[in-house]
Amino acid sequence: MAAVVAATRWWRLLLVLSAAGMGASGAPQPPNILLLLMDDMGWGDLGVYGEPSRETPNLDRMATEGTIFPNFYSANPLCSPSRAALLTGRLPIRNGFYTTNAHARNAYTPQEIVGGIPDSEQLLPELLKEAGYVTKIIGKWHLGHRPQFHPLKHGFDEWFGSPNCHFGPYDNKARPNIPVYRDWEMVGRYYEEFPINLKTGEANLTQIYLQEALDFIKRQARRRPFFLYWAVDATHAPVYASKPFLGTSRRGRYGDAVREIDDSIGKMLQLLQDLRVADNTFVFFTSDNGAALISAPEQGGSNGPFLCGKQTTFEGGMREPALAWWPGHIAAGQVSHQLGSIMDLFTTSLALAGLTPPSDRAIDGLNLLPALLQGQLMDRPVFYYRGDTLMAATLGQHKAHFWTWTNSWENFRQGMDFCPGQNVSGVTTHTLEDHTKLPLIFHLGRDPGEKFPLSFASTEYQEALSGIAQVVQQHQEDLVPGQPQLNVCNWAVMNWAPPGCEKLGKCLTPPESIPKKCLWSH
């Protein structure tokens, strides 16, 4: 393994971080790690970020007791690539979670996708096991559903959740319903054993995911250090909530889902405190991409003051809410202006475990502990990829767009609007516009909504362009793209007969195998 124990003794980590956790044997242990990843939740969905209904008291309290990051980014404006980036610490263009079927096309892992996370990638749970961690994923995996991509083959010890999103219901003839797994085998399917009422929005999945988390924390709290990746999907359309939360939000059904998630996180944090392990548990909350404005307002969230949403590389598509909580270590009530990335959770988690990242590959994530524990700010760029194309880059407070595109005129005329009510002439374009020779540059501090590009003739523009151009040139010279995993689709590889289907009488007959190019339109 390329990951090795940094300075190799826990006591050194404890001296550096002042993290005093003791295992049952009395030996010092690294802290537990709890990553809370939301699905399609926007920057503006939390009270602490200015949501006017103030319906997230537990997350708001988490912010007041910890650190909030106003400038935190996903690695992609779509779910699967962003999740692959989190768990590998690498941009999707490096780990293979992109398509080359068309220029600048978003792609993900629907049931018919053939690819998934490559064996060559080293995932965070695999590496954490070197430091003795017990690892569990709860909820949405989304890095491939075929047997070789199973999360238990990539470092997780336990899994309760699904390989895909909760789309459906399907007729199990043209397309099967999505399976839900416990560890190696399916235990049912969405809309069957795990019902979701599309008419009312009622589903108990968030409660099931909460109980899974509470049970895991109780089992592991005083044993080995744990890594829990809680990746719930109630805020992804079709949004859902359990009966006690339905109709309770001023924001409609989407708000009901947010309220239930907030309540669940509050229960997890309270349990950590009740078990007296809160001071030895690092907790981080964020989202995989911006709110899906195409589904708003009833089925989608808010990106606050930012332009557009999911599927786009404008700020609304990739700037995320982000909170860090670690009582006794992270000072309460802090705001960090560090430019952060979802990929930083990979490197930061390894640092917490006393590990260094693999040295045989490029790692894009930074260690956020200096920012969190000492208030240090580190210079770093943020790259905005859409498929195989670098669309934009931010350095400091300046963002340069090399390409602009929302979606095609054809899709837009069919009612698919990624930027409802936010048309900015020459910016929110419905054709893929090339600005590589003269990028559009915005100052995100003065203009977070990307409405007023700097004058090409201004000194500020020239200075910003010079700095960004150097960083981009170095990035592109060093870049070694991974083998694209999201090019080929095949109806025969869908979830027809997952492991365990025989026990449930749920095996279905796949159609003839006919691989073909996936058609990505956005």
Side-chain angles (χ1 to χ4, degrees):
M1 278 288 189
V4 294
V5 177
T8 67
R9 294 287 180 254
W10 298 130
W11 61 266
R12 183 168 297 185
L13 175 70
L14 300 179
L15 286 174
V16 173
L17 302 182
S18 303
M22 302 294 286
S25 66
Q29 288 191 156
N32 305 311
I33 300 169
L34 172 55
L35 298 186
L36 305 166
L37 184 69
M38 303 301 103
D39 201 340
D40 290 5
M41 189 176 284
W43 191 95
D45 278 330
L46 308 188
V48 71
Y49 279 89
E51 201 290 310
S53 299
R54 293 295 196 272
E55 294 180 343
T56 54
N58 295 292
L59 287 164
D60 296 349
R61 184 168 65 250
M62 181 180 169
T64 62
E65 295 174 356
T67 294
I68 183 172
F69 287 86
N71 309 306
F72 196 87
Y73 291 86
S74 66
N76 193 267
L78 203 59
C79 41
S80 301
S82 182
R83 291 160 192 264
L86 186 162
L87 291 176
T88 63
R90 288 154 54 80
L91 286 163
I93 192 71
R94 299 193 203 273
N95 64 38
F97 263 65
Y98 68 101
T99 182
T100 54
N101 287 355
H103 182 31
R105 292 300 196 274
N106 289 318
Y108 70 111
T109 54
Q111 297 195 67
E112 59 268 26
I113 202 77
V114 171
I117 194 68
D119 285 340
S120 58
E121 292 297 320
Q122 292 186 308
L123 272 61
L124 179 58
E126 295 178 70
L127 301 174
L128 289 176
K129 289 169 76 70
E130 295 182 20
Y133 278 75
V134 177
T135 61
K136 179 163 185 167
I137 172 175
I138 297 172
K140 182 174 169 181
W141 168 238
H142 226 31
L143 302 190
H145 62 279
R146 298 173 69 205
Q148 64 267 39
F149 307 128
H150 194 291
L152 270 60
K153 289 189 176 181
H154 292 273
F156 283 104
D157 295 310
E158 300 179 26
W159 179 30
F160 184 87
S162 176
N164 306 97
C165 198
H166 59 278
F167 293 133
Y170 303 118
D171 62 6
N172 285 334
K173 295 177 181 177
R175 182 180 290 266
N177 280 319
I178 305 293
V180 175
Y181 280 75
R182 179 174 294 285
D183 299 332
W184 290 107
E185 297 184 344
M186 70 174 286
V187 290
R189 295 182 187 268
Y190 287 138
Y191 301 97
E192 296 175 22
E193 291 78 9
F194 297 91
I196 302 170
N197 188 317
L198 294 183
K199 183 176 180 180
T200 65
E202 182 178 353
N204 289 323
L205 287 163
T206 301
Q207 290 303 306
I208 295 171
Y209 294 148
L210 168 62
Q211 195 58 52
E212 286 288 323
L214 298 177
D215 291 346
F216 179 76
I217 292 169
K218 289 174 186 176
R219 276 191 283 120
Q220 299 299 333
R222 292 294 179 182
R223 300 168 67 184
R224 293 160 56 191
F226 67 75
F227 169 61
L228 176 56
Y229 176 43
W230 199 67
V232 295
D233 67 351
T235 46
H236 187 299
V239 299
Y240 60 79
S242 63
K243 192 170 184 178
F245 290 90
L246 285 175
T248 64
S249 171
R250 292 175 178 269
R251 304 179 64 196
R253 191 178 298 177
Y254 180 87
D256 297 340
V258 172
R259 291 198 66 193
E260 184 168 18
I261 287 171
D262 176 79
D263 181 78
S264 299
I265 291 172
K267 287 182 168 66
M268 282 187 264
L269 299 184
Q270 186 61 53
L271 177 61
L272 293 171
Q273 293 172 324
D274 292 345
L275 295 174
R276 299 184 178 180
V277 295
D279 63 350
N280 197 41
T281 305
F282 175 84
V283 183
F284 202 98
F285 169 94
T286 191
S287 181
D288 63 347
N289 48 247
L293 300 186
I294 191 173
S295 305
E298 185 71 13
Q299 299 269 335
S302 167
N303 294 315
F306 302 116
L307 184 63
C308 301
K310 178 181 178 179
Q311 300 263 17
T312 78
T313 50
F314 300 109
E315 290 296 286
M318 291 183 60
R319 198 187 294 211
E320 310 305 329
L323 312 173
W325 185 85
W326 189 12
H329 306 284
I330 294 174
Q334 299 300 301
V335 177
S336 175
H337 291 286
Q338 173 66 48
L339 276 182
S341 166
I342 201 168
M343 296 176 290
D344 299 343
L345 300 181
F346 175 88
T347 309
T348 304
S349 296
L350 292 180
L352 288 165
L355 301 168
T356 53
S359 59
D360 62 344
R361 64 199 62 204
I363 298 295
D364 298 293
L366 295 181
N367 176 8
L368 291 177
L369 292 180
L372 287 166
L373 303 179
Q374 299 157 8
Q376 296 181 13
L377 297 181
M378 298 163 280
D379 288 333
R380 65 98 61 86
V382 171
F383 298 118
Y384 305 69
Y385 272 88
R386 183 166 173 161
D388 61 354
T389 303
L390 179 62
M391 302 285 286
T394 288
L395 187 64
Q397 294 201 81
H398 289 103
K399 179 178 181 181
H401 287 270
F402 310 112
W403 300 85
T404 55
W405 191 34
T406 55
N407 62 345
S408 68
W409 278 115
E410 180 184 2
N411 289 153
F412 181 70
R413 289 172 180 137
Q414 292 171 352
M416 300 176 66
D417 190 352
F418 297 156
C419 313
Q422 292 185 301
N423 179 58
V424 179
S425 180
V427 178
T428 55
T429 55
H430 291 290
T431 54
L432 183 60
E433 296 295 329
D434 184 352
H435 307 281
T436 53
K437 292 183 179 179
L438 203 61
L440 300 179
I441 298 182
F442 299 86
H443 187 287
L444 295 178
R446 299 192 302 264
D447 179 23
E450 299 171 279
K451 294 179 174 63
F452 307 103
L454 301 181
S455 167
F456 297 140
S458 68
T459 300
E460 181 182 4
Y461 178 92
Q462 297 300 328
E463 291 177 349
L465 179 60
S466 176
I468 293 172
Q470 290 180 40
V471 169
V472 168
Q473 180 180 354
Q474 188 64 55
H475 168 69
Q476 292 179 326
E477 287 177 356
D478 295 342
L479 179 65
V480 179
Q483 184 70 25
Q485 296 294 307
L486 308 182
N487 279 350
V488 181
C489 289
N490 187 344
W491 264 242
V493 306
M494 290 197 286
N495 294 289
W496 300 104
C501 67
E502 305 90 347
K503 299 176 184 177
L504 302 173
K506 291 283 181 177
C507 299
L508 303 170
T509 303
E512 180 184 356
S513 178
I514 306 176
K516 61 180 183 179
K517 271 189 174 185
C518 303
L519 300 177
W520 306 111
S521 60
H522 310 312

